[in-house]
Amino acid sequence: MQKHCTWSHGTIHYKLVGKGTPVLLLHGFGEDSSIWNEQIKALENNCLLIVPDLPGTGASEWNNVNSKGSMANPSLFTIDQLSESVYAILQNEHISQCYLLGHSMGGYITLAYAKKYSTTLKGFGLIHSTAFADSEEKKRTAYAVLK
C-alpha cells in the first residue's frame, strides 16, 4: 500500500507491505525505494515492511521540490534531517519499535537515527555502508552525478 506523511521539510512517500515485525528499509544515494523490490517479495510474508523514497527521491519531496526519481542536491539536507524523516514515518504509522536496515547512504541515516532515537529500535544493520564519513573525493564524485 502506498502511503505518505508530512514532516518539517516536505512530504515523504513510502510503501507499507506485509504484516508482522516492522522492518524499515532505507535506500542509498542516487536510488529510490525500488531497489528493495526483491527483498520485499522475500520478506513480506513475515515482516511489516516500511519502504520510503527518501526526501528528494522518487515521489518524496524536499521542501516541496520533487526531483522526479533522482536525488535532490545533497547540499540541501543533512543526514540528521533525513533521520528525522524516518522518525516521522514511524510516528505516522504508530510504530514504537522496528528494525532499521540502511543501504549505502541509508546506512549513514540509520546510524544518525540510532544515535537520536535508539529506544525505537529493536536492531539495525548496514548494507554496503560504513560508520566512517565519506572522503572529500568520494563526496565530489557522488555530487558530480547531480550536475
PDB file of all heavy atoms in Angstrom, residues 24-62:
ATOM      1  N   LEU A  24      12.101  -1.387   8.568  1.00  0.00           N
ATOM      2  CA  LEU A  24      12.175  -0.226   7.691  1.00  0.00           C
ATOM      3  C   LEU A  24      13.447  -0.324   6.857  1.00  0.00           C
ATOM      4  O   LEU A  24      14.525  -0.543   7.406  1.00  0.00           O
ATOM      5  CB  LEU A  24      12.159   1.060   8.523  1.00  0.00           C
ATOM      6  CG  LEU A  24      11.726   2.308   7.776  1.00  0.00           C
ATOM      7  CD1 LEU A  24      10.998   3.254   8.709  1.00  0.00           C
ATOM      8  CD2 LEU A  24      12.869   3.000   7.124  1.00  0.00           C
ATOM      9  N   LEU A  25      13.307  -0.191   5.538  1.00  0.00           N
ATOM     10  CA  LEU A  25      14.421  -0.333   4.592  1.00  0.00           C
ATOM     11  C   LEU A  25      14.744   1.020   3.968  1.00  0.00           C
ATOM     12  O   LEU A  25      13.888   1.635   3.330  1.00  0.00           O
ATOM     13  CB  LEU A  25      14.042  -1.328   3.490  1.00  0.00           C
ATOM     14  CG  LEU A  25      13.619  -2.726   3.950  1.00  0.00           C
ATOM     15  CD1 LEU A  25      13.097  -3.538   2.768  1.00  0.00           C
ATOM     16  CD2 LEU A  25      14.770  -3.441   4.627  1.00  0.00           C
ATOM     17  N   LEU A  26      15.995   1.476   4.140  1.00  0.00           N
ATOM     18  CA  LEU A  26      16.420   2.775   3.595  1.00  0.00           C
ATOM     19  C   LEU A  26      17.366   2.573   2.419  1.00  0.00           C
ATOM     20  O   LEU A  26      18.392   1.902   2.554  1.00  0.00           O
ATOM     21  CB  LEU A  26      17.130   3.595   4.674  1.00  0.00           C
ATOM     22  CG  LEU A  26      16.298   4.014   5.868  1.00  0.00           C
ATOM     23  CD1 LEU A  26      17.161   4.772   6.866  1.00  0.00           C
ATOM     24  CD2 LEU A  26      15.112   4.853   5.438  1.00  0.00           C
ATOM     25  N   HIS A  27      17.045   3.173   1.309  1.00  0.00           N
ATOM     26  CA  HIS A  27      17.890   3.077   0.120  1.00  0.00           C
ATOM     27  C   HIS A  27      19.075   4.033   0.209  1.00  0.00           C
ATOM     28  O   HIS A  27      19.154   4.888   1.090  1.00  0.00           O
ATOM     29  CB  HIS A  27      17.078   3.337  -1.157  1.00  0.00           C
ATOM     30  CG  HIS A  27      16.516   4.725  -1.255  1.00  0.00           C
ATOM     31  ND1 HIS A  27      17.266   5.809  -1.633  1.00  0.00           N
ATOM     32  CD2 HIS A  27      15.262   5.186  -1.030  1.00  0.00           C
ATOM     33  CE1 HIS A  27      16.511   6.888  -1.655  1.00  0.00           C
ATOM     34  NE2 HIS A  27      15.280   6.550  -1.279  1.00  0.00           N
ATOM     35  N   GLY A  28      19.988   3.913  -0.743  1.00  0.00           N
ATOM     36  CA  GLY A  28      21.185   4.737  -0.768  1.00  0.00           C
ATOM     37  C   GLY A  28      21.076   5.948  -1.676  1.00  0.00           C
ATOM     38  O   GLY A  28      20.032   6.228  -2.288  1.00  0.00           O
ATOM     39  N   PHE A  29      22.178   6.653  -1.773  1.00  0.00           N
ATOM     40  CA  PHE A  29      22.302   7.853  -2.594  1.00  0.00           C
ATOM     41  C   PHE A  29      22.059   7.518  -4.064  1.00  0.00           C
ATOM     42  O   PHE A  29      22.567   6.533  -4.584  1.00  0.00           O
ATOM     43  CB  PHE A  29      23.709   8.437  -2.419  1.00  0.00           C
ATOM     44  CG  PHE A  29      23.964   9.664  -3.227  1.00  0.00           C
ATOM     45  CD1 PHE A  29      23.497  10.894  -2.802  1.00  0.00           C
ATOM     46  CD2 PHE A  29      24.679   9.595  -4.415  1.00  0.00           C
ATOM     47  CE1 PHE A  29      23.733  12.036  -3.548  1.00  0.00           C
ATOM     48  CE2 PHE A  29      24.921  10.733  -5.165  1.00  0.00           C
ATOM     49  CZ  PHE A  29      24.445  11.956  -4.731  1.00  0.00           C
ATOM     50  N   GLY A  30      21.270   8.341  -4.744  1.00  0.00           N
ATOM     51  CA  GLY A  30      21.007   8.166  -6.172  1.00  0.00           C
ATOM     52  C   GLY A  30      20.046   7.031  -6.475  1.00  0.00           C
ATOM     53  O   GLY A  30      19.898   6.630  -7.628  1.00  0.00           O
ATOM     54  N   GLU A  31      19.376   6.501  -5.459  1.00  0.00           N
ATOM     55  CA  GLU A  31      18.430   5.399  -5.635  1.00  0.00           C
ATOM     56  C   GLU A  31      17.063   5.829  -5.121  1.00  0.00           C
ATOM     57  O   GLU A  31      16.898   6.940  -4.635  1.00  0.00           O
ATOM     58  CB  GLU A  31      18.905   4.169  -4.841  1.00  0.00           C
ATOM     59  CG  GLU A  31      20.265   3.674  -5.248  1.00  0.00           C
ATOM     60  CD  GLU A  31      20.846   2.638  -4.305  1.00  0.00           C
ATOM     61  OE1 GLU A  31      20.481   2.621  -3.111  1.00  0.00           O
ATOM     62  OE2 GLU A  31      21.671   1.845  -4.763  1.00  0.00           O
ATOM     63  N   ASP A  32      16.110   4.915  -5.229  1.00  0.00           N
ATOM     64  CA  ASP A  32      14.813   5.110  -4.585  1.00  0.00           C
ATOM     65  C   ASP A  32      14.374   3.768  -4.007  1.00  0.00           C
ATOM     66  O   ASP A  32      15.124   2.793  -4.040  1.00  0.00           O
ATOM     67  CB  ASP A  32      13.779   5.718  -5.537  1.00  0.00           C
ATOM     68  CG  ASP A  32      13.452   4.836  -6.737  1.00  0.00           C
ATOM     69  OD1 ASP A  32      13.659   3.607  -6.664  1.00  0.00           O
ATOM     70  OD2 ASP A  32      12.980   5.369  -7.742  1.00  0.00           O
ATOM     71  N   SER A  33      13.184   3.706  -3.503  1.00  0.00           N
ATOM     72  CA  SER A  33      12.710   2.509  -2.812  1.00  0.00           C
ATOM     73  C   SER A  33      12.658   1.268  -3.690  1.00  0.00           C
ATOM     74  O   SER A  33      12.628   0.145  -3.174  1.00  0.00           O
ATOM     75  CB  SER A  33      11.329   2.773  -2.205  1.00  0.00           C
ATOM     76  OG  SER A  33      10.387   3.054  -3.229  1.00  0.00           O
ATOM     77  N   SER A  34      12.665   1.425  -4.990  1.00  0.00           N
ATOM     78  CA  SER A  34      12.556   0.263  -5.878  1.00  0.00           C
ATOM     79  C   SER A  34      13.736  -0.700  -5.751  1.00  0.00           C
ATOM     80  O   SER A  34      13.619  -1.863  -6.146  1.00  0.00           O
ATOM     81  CB  SER A  34      12.394   0.712  -7.335  1.00  0.00           C
ATOM     82  OG  SER A  34      13.570   1.343  -7.801  1.00  0.00           O
ATOM     83  N   ILE A  35      14.863  -0.253  -5.169  1.00  0.00           N
ATOM     84  CA  ILE A  35      15.994  -1.184  -5.016  1.00  0.00           C
ATOM     85  C   ILE A  35      15.649  -2.340  -4.075  1.00  0.00           C
ATOM     86  O   ILE A  35      16.330  -3.358  -4.078  1.00  0.00           O
ATOM     87  CB  ILE A  35      17.287  -0.494  -4.521  1.00  0.00           C
ATOM     88  CG1 ILE A  35      17.162  -0.027  -3.077  1.00  0.00           C
ATOM     89  CG2 ILE A  35      17.713   0.613  -5.438  1.00  0.00           C
ATOM     90  CD1 ILE A  35      18.479   0.028  -2.358  1.00  0.00           C
ATOM     91  N   TRP A  36      14.605  -2.196  -3.294  1.00  0.00           N
ATOM     92  CA  TRP A  36      14.221  -3.219  -2.322  1.00  0.00           C
ATOM     93  C   TRP A  36      13.156  -4.180  -2.850  1.00  0.00           C
ATOM     94  O   TRP A  36      12.685  -5.041  -2.094  1.00  0.00           O
ATOM     95  CB  TRP A  36      13.706  -2.553  -1.046  1.00  0.00           C
ATOM     96  CG  TRP A  36      14.714  -1.703  -0.347  1.00  0.00           C
ATOM     97  CD1 TRP A  36      14.712  -0.348  -0.238  1.00  0.00           C
ATOM     98  CD2 TRP A  36      15.880  -2.146   0.357  1.00  0.00           C
ATOM     99  NE1 TRP A  36      15.796   0.083   0.493  1.00  0.00           N
ATOM    100  CE2 TRP A  36      16.529  -1.011   0.868  1.00  0.00           C
ATOM    101  CE3 TRP A  36      16.445  -3.401   0.604  1.00  0.00           C
ATOM    102  CZ2 TRP A  36      17.703  -1.083   1.616  1.00  0.00           C
ATOM    103  CZ3 TRP A  36      17.611  -3.472   1.346  1.00  0.00           C
ATOM    104  CH2 TRP A  36      18.225  -2.326   1.847  1.00  0.00           C
ATOM    105  N   ASN A  37      12.754  -4.077  -4.114  1.00  0.00           N
ATOM    106  CA  ASN A  37      11.641  -4.882  -4.621  1.00  0.00           C
ATOM    107  C   ASN A  37      11.827  -6.385  -4.403  1.00  0.00           C
ATOM    108  O   ASN A  37      10.884  -7.079  -4.014  1.00  0.00           O
ATOM    109  CB  ASN A  37      11.376  -4.579  -6.096  1.00  0.00           C
ATOM    110  CG  ASN A  37      10.742  -3.214  -6.292  1.00  0.00           C
ATOM    111  OD1 ASN A  37      10.268  -2.597  -5.340  1.00  0.00           O
ATOM    112  ND2 ASN A  37      10.759  -2.724  -7.512  1.00  0.00           N
ATOM    113  N   GLU A  38      13.014  -6.914  -4.653  1.00  0.00           N
ATOM    114  CA  GLU A  38      13.243  -8.357  -4.465  1.00  0.00           C
ATOM    115  C   GLU A  38      13.203  -8.728  -2.984  1.00  0.00           C
ATOM    116  O   GLU A  38      12.686  -9.786  -2.614  1.00  0.00           O
ATOM    117  CB  GLU A  38      14.573  -8.789  -5.090  1.00  0.00           C
ATOM    118  CG  GLU A  38      14.580  -8.694  -6.610  1.00  0.00           C
ATOM    119  CD  GLU A  38      13.485  -9.528  -7.273  1.00  0.00           C
ATOM    120  OE1 GLU A  38      13.309 -10.716  -6.894  1.00  0.00           O
ATOM    121  OE2 GLU A  38      12.787  -8.987  -8.160  1.00  0.00           O
ATOM    122  N   GLN A  39      13.727  -7.875  -2.126  1.00  0.00           N
ATOM    123  CA  GLN A  39      13.685  -8.148  -0.694  1.00  0.00           C
ATOM    124  C   GLN A  39      12.249  -8.102  -0.164  1.00  0.00           C
ATOM    125  O   GLN A  39      11.883  -8.874   0.720  1.00  0.00           O
ATOM    126  CB  GLN A  39      14.575  -7.156   0.079  1.00  0.00           C
ATOM    127  CG  GLN A  39      16.050  -7.385  -0.105  1.00  0.00           C
ATOM    128  CD  GLN A  39      16.569  -6.897  -1.470  1.00  0.00           C
ATOM    129  OE1 GLN A  39      15.962  -6.061  -2.125  1.00  0.00           O
ATOM    130  NE2 GLN A  39      17.717  -7.427  -1.863  1.00  0.00           N
ATOM    131  N   ILE A  40      11.451  -7.191  -0.729  1.00  0.00           N
ATOM    132  CA  ILE A  40      10.046  -7.117  -0.341  1.00  0.00           C
ATOM    133  C   ILE A  40       9.367  -8.456  -0.624  1.00  0.00           C
ATOM    134  O   ILE A  40       8.665  -8.993   0.233  1.00  0.00           O
ATOM    135  CB  ILE A  40       9.332  -5.951  -1.059  1.00  0.00           C
ATOM    136  CG1 ILE A  40       9.838  -4.617  -0.523  1.00  0.00           C
ATOM    137  CG2 ILE A  40       7.815  -6.057  -0.899  1.00  0.00           C
ATOM    138  CD1 ILE A  40       9.386  -3.407  -1.329  1.00  0.00           C
ATOM    139  N   LYS A  41       9.585  -8.995  -1.815  1.00  0.00           N
ATOM    140  CA  LYS A  41       8.979 -10.285  -2.173  1.00  0.00           C
ATOM    141  C   LYS A  41       9.388 -11.380  -1.197  1.00  0.00           C
ATOM    142  O   LYS A  41       8.589 -12.235  -0.824  1.00  0.00           O
ATOM    143  CB  LYS A  41       9.382 -10.688  -3.593  1.00  0.00           C
ATOM    144  CG  LYS A  41       8.775  -9.852  -4.688  1.00  0.00           C
ATOM    145  CD  LYS A  41       9.312 -10.305  -6.035  1.00  0.00           C
ATOM    146  CE  LYS A  41       9.034  -9.312  -7.124  1.00  0.00           C
ATOM    147  NZ  LYS A  41       9.687  -9.687  -8.400  1.00  0.00           N
ATOM    148  N   ALA A  42      10.642 -11.374  -0.785  1.00  0.00           N
ATOM    149  CA  ALA A  42      11.158 -12.425   0.097  1.00  0.00           C
ATOM    150  C   ALA A  42      10.692 -12.275   1.543  1.00  0.00           C
ATOM    151  O   ALA A  42      10.582 -13.273   2.257  1.00  0.00           O
ATOM    152  CB  ALA A  42      12.690 -12.431   0.049  1.00  0.00           C
ATOM    153  N   LEU A  43      10.405 -11.048   1.980  1.00  0.00           N
ATOM    154  CA  LEU A  43      10.131 -10.807   3.398  1.00  0.00           C
ATOM    155  C   LEU A  43       8.687 -10.493   3.750  1.00  0.00           C
ATOM    156  O   LEU A  43       8.304 -10.551   4.919  1.00  0.00           O
ATOM    157  CB  LEU A  43      11.015  -9.650   3.895  1.00  0.00           C
ATOM    158  CG  LEU A  43      12.519  -9.864   3.837  1.00  0.00           C
ATOM    159  CD1 LEU A  43      13.256  -8.572   4.154  1.00  0.00           C
ATOM    160  CD2 LEU A  43      12.930 -10.980   4.786  1.00  0.00           C
ATOM    161  N   GLU A  44       7.867 -10.169   2.758  1.00  0.00           N
ATOM    162  CA  GLU A  44       6.539  -9.640   3.058  1.00  0.00           C
ATOM    163  C   GLU A  44       5.627 -10.601   3.817  1.00  0.00           C
ATOM    164  O   GLU A  44       4.694 -10.162   4.494  1.00  0.00           O
ATOM    165  CB  GLU A  44       5.851  -9.144   1.794  1.00  0.00           C
ATOM    166  CG  GLU A  44       5.508 -10.220   0.796  1.00  0.00           C
ATOM    167  CD  GLU A  44       4.923  -9.644  -0.478  1.00  0.00           C
ATOM    168  OE1 GLU A  44       4.298  -8.568  -0.435  1.00  0.00           O
ATOM    169  OE2 GLU A  44       5.101 -10.267  -1.529  1.00  0.00           O
ATOM    170  N   ASN A  45       5.876 -11.899   3.754  1.00  0.00           N
ATOM    171  CA  ASN A  45       5.034 -12.841   4.493  1.00  0.00           C
ATOM    172  C   ASN A  45       5.397 -12.931   5.977  1.00  0.00           C
ATOM    173  O   ASN A  45       4.658 -13.536   6.749  1.00  0.00           O
ATOM    174  CB  ASN A  45       5.093 -14.227   3.858  1.00  0.00           C
ATOM    175  CG  ASN A  45       4.432 -14.248   2.495  1.00  0.00           C
ATOM    176  OD1 ASN A  45       3.449 -13.552   2.256  1.00  0.00           O
ATOM    177  ND2 ASN A  45       4.978 -15.033   1.588  1.00  0.00           N
ATOM    178  N   ASN A  46       6.530 -12.361   6.353  1.00  0.00           N
ATOM    179  CA  ASN A  46       6.997 -12.466   7.739  1.00  0.00           C
ATOM    180  C   ASN A  46       7.208 -11.129   8.427  1.00  0.00           C
ATOM    181  O   ASN A  46       7.431 -11.111   9.640  1.00  0.00           O
ATOM    182  CB  ASN A  46       8.321 -13.236   7.773  1.00  0.00           C
ATOM    183  CG  ASN A  46       8.154 -14.635   7.231  1.00  0.00           C
ATOM    184  OD1 ASN A  46       7.327 -15.388   7.705  1.00  0.00           O
ATOM    185  ND2 ASN A  46       8.926 -14.967   6.215  1.00  0.00           N
ATOM    186  N   CYS A  47       7.189 -10.037   7.688  1.00  0.00           N
ATOM    187  CA  CYS A  47       7.513  -8.725   8.244  1.00  0.00           C
ATOM    188  C   CYS A  47       6.552  -7.669   7.719  1.00  0.00           C
ATOM    189  O   CYS A  47       6.045  -7.775   6.608  1.00  0.00           O
ATOM    190  CB  CYS A  47       8.924  -8.296   7.826  1.00  0.00           C
ATOM    191  SG  CYS A  47      10.225  -9.434   8.268  1.00  0.00           S
ATOM    192  N   LEU A  48       6.365  -6.643   8.518  1.00  0.00           N
ATOM    193  CA  LEU A  48       5.703  -5.435   8.041  1.00  0.00           C
ATOM    194  C   LEU A  48       6.819  -4.540   7.513  1.00  0.00           C
ATOM    195  O   LEU A  48       7.619  -4.014   8.286  1.00  0.00           O
ATOM    196  CB  LEU A  48       4.956  -4.724   9.169  1.00  0.00           C
ATOM    197  CG  LEU A  48       4.363  -3.366   8.812  1.00  0.00           C
ATOM    198  CD1 LEU A  48       3.305  -3.512   7.723  1.00  0.00           C
ATOM    199  CD2 LEU A  48       3.786  -2.700  10.047  1.00  0.00           C
ATOM    200  N   LEU A  49       6.901  -4.426   6.210  1.00  0.00           N
ATOM    201  CA  LEU A  49       7.973  -3.663   5.574  1.00  0.00           C
ATOM    202  C   LEU A  49       7.532  -2.230   5.335  1.00  0.00           C
ATOM    203  O   LEU A  49       6.454  -1.985   4.789  1.00  0.00           O
ATOM    204  CB  LEU A  49       8.375  -4.322   4.264  1.00  0.00           C
ATOM    205  CG  LEU A  49       8.899  -5.751   4.422  1.00  0.00           C
ATOM    206  CD1 LEU A  49       8.953  -6.460   3.087  1.00  0.00           C
ATOM    207  CD2 LEU A  49      10.251  -5.747   5.098  1.00  0.00           C
ATOM    208  N   ILE A  50       8.380  -1.303   5.747  1.00  0.00           N
ATOM    209  CA  ILE A  50       8.156   0.126   5.535  1.00  0.00           C
ATOM    210  C   ILE A  50       9.294   0.573   4.628  1.00  0.00           C
ATOM    211  O   ILE A  50      10.469   0.502   5.017  1.00  0.00           O
ATOM    212  CB  ILE A  50       8.177   0.907   6.858  1.00  0.00           C
ATOM    213  CG1 ILE A  50       7.183   0.285   7.845  1.00  0.00           C
ATOM    214  CG2 ILE A  50       7.872   2.378   6.627  1.00  0.00           C
ATOM    215  CD1 ILE A  50       7.762  -0.020   9.173  1.00  0.00           C
ATOM    216  N   VAL A  51       8.953   0.999   3.418  1.00  0.00           N
ATOM    217  CA  VAL A  51       9.979   1.238   2.403  1.00  0.00           C
ATOM    218  C   VAL A  51       9.774   2.630   1.792  1.00  0.00           C
ATOM    219  O   VAL A  51       8.984   2.796   0.862  1.00  0.00           O
ATOM    220  CB  VAL A  51       9.941   0.143   1.312  1.00  0.00           C
ATOM    221  CG1 VAL A  51      11.159   0.235   0.418  1.00  0.00           C
ATOM    222  CG2 VAL A  51       9.829  -1.254   1.927  1.00  0.00           C
ATOM    223  N   PRO A  52      10.482   3.637   2.316  1.00  0.00           N
ATOM    224  CA  PRO A  52      10.278   5.006   1.816  1.00  0.00           C
ATOM    225  C   PRO A  52      11.144   5.345   0.600  1.00  0.00           C
ATOM    226  O   PRO A  52      12.196   4.750   0.370  1.00  0.00           O
ATOM    227  CB  PRO A  52      10.729   5.860   3.002  1.00  0.00           C
ATOM    228  CG  PRO A  52      11.779   5.039   3.671  1.00  0.00           C
ATOM    229  CD  PRO A  52      11.342   3.600   3.504  1.00  0.00           C
ATOM    230  N   ASP A  53      10.662   6.316  -0.158  1.00  0.00           N
ATOM    231  CA  ASP A  53      11.509   7.093  -1.052  1.00  0.00           C
ATOM    232  C   ASP A  53      12.026   8.207  -0.159  1.00  0.00           C
ATOM    233  O   ASP A  53      11.236   9.028   0.328  1.00  0.00           O
ATOM    234  CB  ASP A  53      10.707   7.705  -2.203  1.00  0.00           C
ATOM    235  CG  ASP A  53      10.355   6.718  -3.293  1.00  0.00           C
ATOM    236  OD1 ASP A  53      11.097   5.737  -3.473  1.00  0.00           O
ATOM    237  OD2 ASP A  53       9.318   6.933  -3.957  1.00  0.00           O
ATOM    238  N   LEU A  54      13.315   8.227   0.106  1.00  0.00           N
ATOM    239  CA  LEU A  54      13.863   9.266   0.970  1.00  0.00           C
ATOM    240  C   LEU A  54      13.578  10.648   0.381  1.00  0.00           C
ATOM    241  O   LEU A  54      13.408  10.787  -0.840  1.00  0.00           O
ATOM    242  CB  LEU A  54      15.368   9.066   1.155  1.00  0.00           C
ATOM    243  CG  LEU A  54      15.735   7.869   2.028  1.00  0.00           C
ATOM    244  CD1 LEU A  54      17.232   7.572   1.923  1.00  0.00           C
ATOM    245  CD2 LEU A  54      15.341   8.126   3.478  1.00  0.00           C
ATOM    246  N   PRO A  55      13.498  11.667   1.218  1.00  0.00           N
ATOM    247  CA  PRO A  55      13.218  13.014   0.718  1.00  0.00           C
ATOM    248  C   PRO A  55      14.134  13.411  -0.442  1.00  0.00           C
ATOM    249  O   PRO A  55      15.339  13.195  -0.402  1.00  0.00           O
ATOM    250  CB  PRO A  55      13.468  13.891   1.951  1.00  0.00           C
ATOM    251  CG  PRO A  55      13.129  12.994   3.096  1.00  0.00           C
ATOM    252  CD  PRO A  55      13.645  11.643   2.669  1.00  0.00           C
ATOM    253  N   GLY A  56      13.510  13.935  -1.488  1.00  0.00           N
ATOM    254  CA  GLY A  56      14.254  14.340  -2.674  1.00  0.00           C
ATOM    255  C   GLY A  56      14.414  13.228  -3.693  1.00  0.00           C
ATOM    256  O   GLY A  56      15.061  13.420  -4.717  1.00  0.00           O
ATOM    257  N   THR A  57      13.837  12.044  -3.431  1.00  0.00           N
ATOM    258  CA  THR A  57      13.922  10.926  -4.380  1.00  0.00           C
ATOM    259  C   THR A  57      12.527  10.397  -4.676  1.00  0.00           C
ATOM    260  O   THR A  57      11.598  10.588  -3.894  1.00  0.00           O
ATOM    261  CB  THR A  57      14.782   9.765  -3.835  1.00  0.00           C
ATOM    262  OG1 THR A  57      14.101   9.140  -2.754  1.00  0.00           O
ATOM    263  CG2 THR A  57      16.143  10.234  -3.408  1.00  0.00           C
ATOM    264  N   GLY A  58      12.394   9.687  -5.792  1.00  0.00           N
ATOM    265  CA  GLY A  58      11.116   9.073  -6.130  1.00  0.00           C
ATOM    266  C   GLY A  58       9.975  10.056  -6.018  1.00  0.00           C
ATOM    267  O   GLY A  58      10.034  11.159  -6.540  1.00  0.00           O
ATOM    268  N   ALA A  59       8.937   9.661  -5.286  1.00  0.00           N
ATOM    269  CA  ALA A  59       7.752  10.506  -5.130  1.00  0.00           C
ATOM    270  C   ALA A  59       7.857  11.477  -3.963  1.00  0.00           C
ATOM    271  O   ALA A  59       6.984  12.303  -3.770  1.00  0.00           O
ATOM    272  CB  ALA A  59       6.522   9.621  -4.948  1.00  0.00           C
ATOM    273  N   SER A  60       8.927  11.362  -3.168  1.00  0.00           N
ATOM    274  CA  SER A  60       9.051  12.207  -1.972  1.00  0.00           C
ATOM    275  C   SER A  60       9.630  13.572  -2.302  1.00  0.00           C
ATOM    276  O   SER A  60      10.439  13.719  -3.202  1.00  0.00           O
ATOM    277  CB  SER A  60       9.934  11.517  -0.926  1.00  0.00           C
ATOM    278  OG  SER A  60       9.290  10.372  -0.423  1.00  0.00           O
ATOM    279  N   GLU A  61       9.208  14.534  -1.512  1.00  0.00           N
ATOM    280  CA  GLU A  61       9.616  15.921  -1.716  1.00  0.00           C
ATOM    281  C   GLU A  61      10.664  16.333  -0.699  1.00  0.00           C
ATOM    282  O   GLU A  61      10.773  15.747   0.377  1.00  0.00           O
ATOM    283  CB  GLU A  61       8.407  16.848  -1.554  1.00  0.00           C
ATOM    284  CG  GLU A  61       7.299  16.592  -2.540  1.00  0.00           C
ATOM    285  CD  GLU A  61       6.047  17.386  -2.221  1.00  0.00           C
ATOM    286  OE1 GLU A  61       5.924  17.940  -1.115  1.00  0.00           O
ATOM    287  OE2 GLU A  61       5.176  17.434  -3.091  1.00  0.00           O
ATOM    288  N   TRP A  62      11.400  17.346  -1.067  1.00  0.00           N
ATOM    289  CA  TRP A  62      12.300  18.032  -0.144  1.00  0.00           C
ATOM    290  C   TRP A  62      11.964  19.505  -0.274  1.00  0.00           C
ATOM    291  O   TRP A  62      12.135  20.090  -1.334  1.00  0.00           O
ATOM    292  CB  TRP A  62      13.761  17.778  -0.506  1.00  0.00           C
ATOM    293  CG  TRP A  62      14.676  18.496   0.438  1.00  0.00           C
ATOM    294  CD1 TRP A  62      15.257  19.709   0.229  1.00  0.00           C
ATOM    295  CD2 TRP A  62      15.059  18.082   1.735  1.00  0.00           C
ATOM    296  NE1 TRP A  62      15.998  20.064   1.328  1.00  0.00           N
ATOM    297  CE2 TRP A  62      15.895  19.075   2.270  1.00  0.00           C
ATOM    298  CE3 TRP A  62      14.794  16.962   2.510  1.00  0.00           C
ATOM    299  CZ2 TRP A  62      16.455  18.979   3.536  1.00  0.00           C
ATOM    300  CZ3 TRP A  62      15.344  16.875   3.760  1.00  0.00           C
ATOM    301  CH2 TRP A  62      16.177  17.877   4.259  1.00  0.00           C
TER     302      TRP A  62
END
